[in-house]
Amino acid sequence: MFSVALRPTARLFANRSVAPALLSRTMGTITEGVEFDTIAREWRCKWSPDSDKKSLAEAQKLLSSVVEEVKKVDGVKGVQRVVCGGCMDFKVITSVDSEKFGAWSDAKFAPEADFLEKLKAIDGIDVVETQTFTLMPM
């Protein structure tokens, strides 16, 4: 285990399996040459093609009901939806300015908990997960 002083935007990584180099440097640089200005939170699940892809349609309706709330999070750069018809993925990626991400993390990524609870209740949806990662235009 390692101990470091974290800036507010880095707190989200404190309980994750992240390379110590990420935690020991200022947010914005993971290692030499690997900088970022955006941190993203992904909500994802698998949907079923059964019943004419009803679970996918229901997941989309659920997203539509919260997308404006998500867009109001301070520092949001964008909200994207990714759907793969081959592997049945449904993903929502919210990109936030790295300097603002800590506040959303402190707020438990609202409305994440409610969204995920409702997503899990949809018949045909499973493997509901979240992930946090950095982004940088190249």
Side-chain angles (χ1 to χ4, degrees):
M1 194 67 192
F2 49 88
S3 175
V4 295
L6 301 176
R7 287 183 45 188
T9 53
R11 283 194 304 268
L12 69 127
F13 293 112
N15 296 321
R16 309 267 195 278
S17 298
V18 177
L22 178 62
L23 296 173
S24 64
R25 299 181 186 261
T26 36
M27 290 303 290
T29 301
I30 297 171
T31 191
E32 184 178 338
V34 184
E35 296 84 20
F36 62 92
D37 63 359
T38 304
I39 303 175
R41 182 70 169 179
E42 179 180 83
W43 306 332
R44 64 177 176 250
C45 67
K46 296 289 187 179
W47 53 273
S48 169
D50 296 346
S51 300
D52 198 27
K53 303 175 187 145
K54 184 177 180 185
S55 59
L56 175 60
E58 292 298 314
Q60 179 60 50
K61 286 179 190 173
L62 177 59
L63 173 58
S64 294
S65 76
V66 300
V67 72
E68 291 306 316
E69 181 181 356
V70 175
K71 288 180 178 180
K72 290 178 184 175
V73 170
D74 188 28
V76 164
K77 292 182 172 187
V79 179
Q80 297 172 293
R81 189 220 52 227
V82 178
V83 175
C84 177
C87 56
M88 311 321 179
D89 283 337
F90 180 86
K91 301 178 180 186
V92 179
I93 302 169
T94 304
S95 304
V96 179
D97 181 271
S98 62
E99 293 299 320
K100 303 279 187 165
F101 192 83
W104 192 36
S105 174
D106 290 345
K108 300 188 184 328
F109 307 109
E112 178 177 285
D114 186 53
F115 178 83
L116 296 178
E117 180 180 328
K118 290 176 180 176
L119 190 63
K120 290 175 186 177
I122 296 171
D123 189 39
I125 295 289
D126 67 13
V127 193
V128 176
E129 301 174 321
T130 62
Q131 183 176 355
T132 299
F133 49 86
T134 65
L135 296 170
M136 186 68 175
M138 294 284 105

